[in-house]
Amino acid sequence: MSSETWPQQLRRGLINLEQLNERGWLDAGAHSKELALAQNALDIRVPAEFHAGLAEGDVSLARQVIPAPAEAFIAEQELADPIGDERFSPHPGLTHRYPDRVLVKVTYQCAVYCRFCFRRHKVSHAEENLSFEALAPAYRYISENPQIKEVIFTGGDPLVLTDSKLEPHLTQVEKIPHIETIRFHTRVPTVLPERITEQLCERLGGSNKTVWIVVHANSASEFTEKSLTALKKLRRAGIALASQSVLLKGVNDSKEGLVALLRALYRAGVQPYYLHYPDLAKGTSHFRIPLEAAMALVDALQGQLPGLAIPKLTVDIPGGHGKITATANTCQKLSESCWAFRSPLTGDWVKVQYP
Ligand SMILES: *Cc1c(COP(=O)(O)O)cnc(C)c1O
Ligand code: SF4
């Protein structure tokens, strides 16, 4: 076992084009105009945990973290805020779209910058970060709205905060009587496994609320020995684990790739929850396969895996109309690139044009 601490592991992440070019991991040269635009839109961070896999040429890891010239292409339909976070934000850092649960964005930094990030209009931009004090109106709103039963810490990645930065947020939410569960949406267990310390596990497992962690992972290759150890520690601490993945062209869009990912999650005691169809974030068209193909791919999992290991194919309807499970009851194909989705909030059909 290495004795590396998590801040050391975080610092070994590669953060610029020159470093990637030296290792031969860039398609275009480090000075290509497209890559400069990509880096400008979203910082680079290639976690140390992926380096061995990248050196072996693992494409399922590379496509997730190495900037591609295609990011410079922004389709007309792509949006700065694809799922309407800002439309449903009563206070800075807070999104309240569903009656019983809210998102609180405690940081916009991450341990990895995913090239398909749906929140890339804010993520990695340090000036967007809100301090605990700046989130006071958000916490007051949660306290005053007893229909809210769950606080979901997200961002960014809430687990890149140090224990001492995280503590006031936890204490604040634990004090609100009507909150029943605290959820973390995080990529840390697979990209920065050292962050899952005994101290963190004890703190979360000992909370007066039930803690859920939704682990974001997209490829079976992410389940290194260290990340499996991190997941085991969380389970031992009594934390409930589920997953979210994004269906990504060239990463996990084959039946074999998807089955391997879902088996890896299930084997690690993480219940596959959401498989997201990529949101219409700017410069991400190269990650989308046609929605019809995505539906067929997920249909084909039935019978191949335990039902518990089959996630819901989810479309977060562009514009903030809410998440739906993509089925014939909720999705209608109108033409080659045009779909209608039934909003779970209003029952209305929402027309969406894909590039
Ligand atoms: C995705 C999301 C949630 C969480 O939804 P679940 O279906 O409970 O996982 C909550 N609020 C917002 C605004 C979301 O986008
Ligand atoms: S970890 Fe999440 S928020 Fe951070 S870059 Fe990846 S997808 Fe975006």
Side-chain angles (χ1 to χ4, degrees), residues 42 109-110 112-114 116-119 123 155-157 187 216:
L42 177 72
Q109 309 311 119
C110 303
V112 58
Y113 291 118
C114 310
F116 48 86
C117 180
F118 67 120
R119 215 169 260 147
V123 163
D157 196 318
R187 205 142 165 35
H216 172 185

Side-chain angles (χ1 to χ4, degrees), residues 83 85 95-98 101-103 119 150 152 183 185 273-274 316 323:
I83 63 168
D85 276 348
T95 301
H96 189 194
R97 179 162 37 218
Y98 304 106
R101 54 210 193 272
V102 293
L103 306 182
R119 215 169 260 147
E150 179 170 60
I152 302 172
R183 198 191 319 175
H185 280 186
Y273 174 41
Y274 280 153
D316 210 324
K323 289 185 183 69

Side-chain angles (χ1 to χ4, degrees), residues 257-310:
L258 200 51
V259 167
L261 166 65
L262 298 170
R263 280 206 190 281
L265 286 162
Y266 188 61
R267 202 160 49 228
V270 183
Q271 188 183 354
Y273 174 41
Y274 280 153
L275 178 64
H276 295 279
Y277 188 65
D279 293 320
L280 285 176
K282 289 187 174 180
T284 59
S285 355
H286 56 299
F287 284 115
R288 270 185 288 278
I289 64 169
L291 182 56
E292 241 175 353
M295 288 161 75
L297 190 58
V298 174
D299 269 349
L301 298 175
Q302 209 56 248
Q304 304 287 313
L305 285 166
L308 269 172
I310 301 182

Side-chain angles (χ1 to χ4, degrees), residues 52-71:
L54 289 166
E56 285 164 17
D58 188 325
V59 177
S60 75
L61 297 178
R63 278 184 64 83
Q64 295 190 60
V65 296
I66 307 293
E71 284 175 55

